[in-house]
Amino acid sequence: MSRERLIYLPLGGAGEVGMNAYVYGYGAPGKERLILVDLGLTFPTMDNAPGVDLVLPDVSWLAENADRLEAIFITHAHEDHVGALAHLWSRLRAPVYARRFTGRLAQMKMEEQGQPTEKVHIVGAHPEVVEVGPFKVSFVPISHSIPETAALLIDTPAGRIVHAADFKLDTDPVVGERFDEAVFARIGDEGVKVLVCDSTNVFVPHAGRSESTLKGPITELVKSAPGMVVATTFASNVARVKTLAQAGHDAGRQVCLLGRAMQRMIGVAQETGILSDMPPLIPSERAAETPGGDLMLIVTGSQGERRAASAQLSRGRYLGLQLREGDLFLFSSKTIPGNERGVLAIINAFSEMGVDVVDDSTSRYHVSGHANRPDLERIHALLKPDMILPNHGEHRMLRAHAKLASDAGIATAVVVNGTMMDVTGEVPREVEQVEAGRLYLDGNVIYGAMDGIVRDRLRMAMNGHVTVTLILEEDDTLGDPWCEMRGLAERGRSRAPLVDMLESQLSDYIGRAGRKTRADDEALEDGLRRVVRQLCMEEIGKKPEVTVVISRLSDE
Amino acid sequence: MSRERLIYLPLGGAGEVGMNAYVYGYGAPGKERLILVDLGLTFPTMDNAPGVDLVLPDVSWLAENADRLEAIFITHAHEDHVGALAHLWSRLRAPVYARRFTGRLAQMKMEEQGQPTEKVHIVGAHPEVVEVGPFKVSFVPISHSIPETAALLIDTPAGRIVHAADFKLDTDPVVGERFDEAVFARIGDEGVKVLVCDSTNVFVPHAGRSESTLKGPITELVKSAPGMVVATTFASNVARVKTLAQAGHDAGRQVCLLGRAMQRMIGVAQETGILSDMPPLIPSERAAETPGGDLMLIVTGSQGERRAASAQLSRGRYLGLQLREGDLFLFSSKTIPGNERGVLAIINAFSEMGVDVVDDSTSRYHVSGHANRPDLERIHALLKPDMILPNHGEHRMLRAHAKLASDAGIATAVVVNGTMMDVTGEVPREVEQVEAGRLYLDGNVIYGAMDGIVRDRLRMAMNGHVTVTLILEEDDTLGDPWCEMRGLAERGRSRAPLVDMLESQLSDYIGRAGRKTRADDEALEDGLRRVVRQLCMEEIGKKPEVTVVISRLSDE
């Protein structure tokens, strides 16, 4: 029996929606040659990471083993699959493979971050094969809510893995390649050892609907609107943008795209030949001169992002455009859990303007890009894998997906980020836990989520901050201690200015403190901090964060 | 024609869900005698008010006119209708009227805040009337998700107002009074001038379902469960708690309530005679000794609150109780928009334990307490008001509700917090804008949302904080400037410690600064702040908040 083994190790996306990053390896234990599939990001929230720009998977383990990393494959161009690539590539330095549209967008990201674009190699679809180390990898087109998504066939000496990435079973996806059942049936007939499969929509009980079903309802809606029509969707949903633009065009309206992300996506889709029959577009300056009833805007910001076009329009005039009583705003998108507040703020702002907002509640104007439960069952049945490892999803989704598999008599396991599985045998077997957390991109620095930086910011946000400065000469204070507060009420229970009370009590404390304490910076700091926190608790019912600065002039 | 007028002025709840507070007045303009209906709170979020405990309506206008305020009426005991009473009563000092259960809970709140409980007067239901100034007010029982909810009949010299508060049309609400159509039809026949009416569920297209429809499905679910069953719902939903307890009891399980809010609600409901046939309960110590399969827990925390029982259980052992593989957790509740992240965190934590979570997605185990669109139409038709003023709801809800009214040919207006309406005539007429914002209860201090305190905390959370201290003697620095950072990366682009770089650049700046700048605290502070922000931007891509402390020894 060979001592070689086949391993699977998610570093992101397994136990969450977003931030996908999956490692496969083949070889002797600890010496496996590795590939990485996808390197995505997720978005921070005020609750967990205020001020952070992006959340990236912690690839420390992979960086430490970069000499074993043969290549990085990108299945599609969604941010949660490619968004971390340019930020983390310098730690991995492996060649990147993607299809044309995805690869072009990845190259642009690499360029923006000053990384070598030539490391991103454009490859063709299945049956073209990329051979790296013990792996033969090919990109099998599958439908999703962005063009050119691919499931990966990963052939290894231990058998074939199908990494299904994100997908839906759409035979008429409007833009890009349709789901071809015959192809997947043939792959299934050839034998699949492991299927690693999207779990995000496992709780949706009905089969997914085709992108093409939206054209009628959207066209009808746009035609029936008297005033300006503004629609938002994900910038990367090229098919949807086309459907919306076509509906506007068919209704005799001038169509204008607002938002750089969307303009870039459409540009790249046209440049790579994926999108060839887009209706004509006008620039925003022309749109600003066009009467509302003759205009259709397609804008970014379907998730309520504060700086995107939809939020800007909800706050008033934007690029010379302004919505009015009787105009129509369409969310051709669903709100991702956690983004509700931002989206509702926009809807209510439009409501105040008298704008009619149509959202996803009827399901007439949006379909999901992911496989629902019956679709998952269908792909399981087509591919007939020996083993199913649910990926991309919160724990509850992975667990429900694993139950689907085991109910069908297929070996399975719930595998979360950082768990290395040996999948060489008939059942998956846990072999190691590796570090797999989150990194924060904050300004232009990347640091660990557990480094304490964000924790300190959250504490200041919750508790406010007090600065205490004290100057000591020899063993005597030179002047009184000085306080500055930030983010705290100026007066509390006793109605006197809190700063004055603090300074007076700190002064008393120093007077009382013994010679030994005064000579000991640490003891003095502790004492001063305690005085501040205790008095603040009494006065305003909060214990603030405290920075104490002691300056000793005698040292000079 | 009389110069007297009837006014309506929402101070909270009109333009939001939560924080209800509505003023009515009758008299000569500016001299109207006033009543306040409800004084509720809303909950802060990390996005808008980190560290804040409660959000209260800004009642400044009412406090300034407290001499004109005859009384405060509380329609029901939900926090968004009574939660601010004890915190703000001292600013208003008017007698409070409520029915028995509501009043008892209000008294407990007053007591906790050291306010006079005897100011809360317990009154009977319609036809009992409270006469205050020009108003005759009576409490008409109506069904909702808490016992003893009342719509108010407010008779004034200018006609009758029905303030419908929160309600649903439930003819079998399990606990408390059913909706009695005949009563409302009679009120309608007597003539209603203004209906002020709950808008929260205006977007729900189907008629509301009765609380009693849940008993069968919940009992079935509990009976079919092999392990421990834990159910959560709103603590105040006494009927639901009873249904859950009865289901546990019928399944032969011991029933235990966890969470003080729920125990208090059930206690007061029993004490006031509203709940008489609750199944026996066991204390948590007994529950901890009971095998899971013989146990049913009913717990607080349906909205994912971190300190409530459901969150505690999701983190592991709590009060000696621990969920295991195969146990069942039921959310007999819906997730309020904005609370999704907290609820999902709990569901995923349970998923990791192997606990099966049943949520509201099937609608089998939860019904809403509010009137849906067809129910609103029914109450409009029964009461036949001359005018409908939608209250309690986000702007989009008020607007949709107003459209329902105007489509039915009834005079209406979208009235938001702070807008005073004259409703004496046939159509509502805006007469004044008064200040109506939000107050924050933070620790034990109440301050205005716009006071800048929370803004400063949010800025520190987003940007981090740097303290700079500098000691000057006469015109010379005594020692070098000193920096402390909080919530910022230690090293940036150039890899050197950022604090060292900052101190060195600050030192250079002071060396360069002219005599005039050095003599001017404000100029010096500005300069130092600018140096810090600029270098941080270059190094880490962020501009932190900066506190500069300059100590001048020469002044002594």
Side-chain angles (χ1 to χ4, degrees), chain A residues 93-167:
Chain A
R93 313 192 74 81
V96 179
Y97 296 93
R99 296 178 68 202
R100 194 177 178 81
F101 173 76
T102 312
R104 185 70 197 98
L105 287 161
Q107 285 168 345
M108 289 164 83
K109 285 173 182 293
M110 291 287 274
E111 190 165 13
E112 280 169 4
Q113 298 303 318
Q115 303 298 325
T117 56
E118 69 276 12
K119 295 295 178 183
V120 179
H121 304 276
I122 308 290
V123 296
H126 181 76
E128 188 173 322
V129 166
V130 182
E131 218 175 316
V132 290
F135 302 98
K136 295 192 181 85
V137 180
S138 63
F139 292 78
V140 183
I142 196 164
S143 51
H144 184 41
S145 47
I146 188 170
E148 220 190 44
T149 300
L152 298 184
L153 288 197
I154 306 172
D155 284 323
T156 80
R160 174 175 279 182
I161 296 162
V162 177
H163 182 100
D166 292 355
F167 69 97

Side-chain angles (χ1 to χ4, degrees), chain A residues 55-287:
Chain A
V55 181
L56 316 172
D58 185 351
V59 291
S60 310
W61 183 87
L62 202 55
E64 284 159 24
N65 293 285
D67 58 318
R68 297 203 272 135
L69 182 63
E70 300 279 358
I72 301 168
F73 295 87
I74 306 294
T75 61
H76 64 288
H78 274 150
E79 289 294 324
D80 59 336
H81 293 260
V82 71
L85 177 69
H87 298 291
L88 297 176
W89 185 85
S90 63
R91 301 179 184 202
L92 305 175
R93 313 192 74 81
V96 179
Y97 296 93
R99 296 178 68 202
R100 194 177 178 81
F101 173 76
T102 312
R104 185 70 197 98
L105 287 161
Q107 285 168 345
M108 289 164 83
K109 285 173 182 293
M110 291 287 274
E111 190 165 13
E112 280 169 4
Q113 298 303 318
Q115 303 298 325
T117 56
E118 69 276 12
K119 295 295 178 183
V120 179
H121 304 276
I122 308 290
V123 296
H126 181 76
E128 188 173 322
V129 166
V130 182
E131 218 175 316
V132 290
F135 302 98
K136 295 192 181 85
V137 180
S138 63
F139 292 78
V140 183
I142 196 164
S143 51
H144 184 41
S145 47
I146 188 170
E148 220 190 44
T149 300
L152 298 184
L153 288 197
I154 306 172
D155 284 323
T156 80
R160 174 175 279 182
I161 296 162
V162 177
H163 182 100
D166 292 355
F167 69 97
K168 66 183 290 190
L169 308 183
D170 195 335
T171 53
D172 186 4
V174 181
V175 168
E177 299 135 329
R178 68 186 188 90
F179 171 69
D180 189 341
E181 182 164 309
V183 169
F184 284 85
R186 193 167 59 238
I187 293 168
D189 290 343
E190 289 167 10
V192 174
K193 182 168 182 59
V194 184
L195 168 64
V196 176
C197 187
D198 179 11
S199 309
T200 54
N201 275 18
V202 67
F203 289 112
V204 183
H206 56 79
R209 285 154 56 222
S210 168
E211 182 69 29
S212 60
T213 61
L214 301 178
K215 182 152 204 276
I218 289 177
T219 306
E220 204 176 297
L221 182 71
V222 175
K223 283 193 172 161
S224 70
M228 198 194 301
V229 178
V230 186
T232 184
T233 189
F234 293 97
S236 58
N237 195 332
V238 175
R240 189 69 51 79
V241 174
K242 184 186 163 190
T243 298
L244 291 166
Q246 195 66 55
H249 189 252
D250 291 355
R253 291 167 182 265
Q254 306 282 335
V255 179
C256 172
L257 303 190
L258 290 189
R260 264 176 307 169
M262 193 176 277
Q263 286 161 345
R264 172 196 274 206
M265 277 290 169
I266 296 303
V268 174
Q270 290 179 316
E271 175 197 325
T272 54
I274 281 167
L275 179 64
S276 53
D277 45 358
M278 184 76 176
L281 301 172
I282 60 167
S284 64
E285 306 82 58
R286 284 250 328 265

Side-chain angles (χ1 to χ4, degrees), chain B residues 99 155-156 178 248 260 288 314 331 378 385 399:
Chain B
R99 296 178 67 202
D155 283 323
T156 79
R178 69 187 186 90
R260 263 176 307 169
S314 80
F331 281 88
R378 199 163 141 217
R399 185 163 174 260

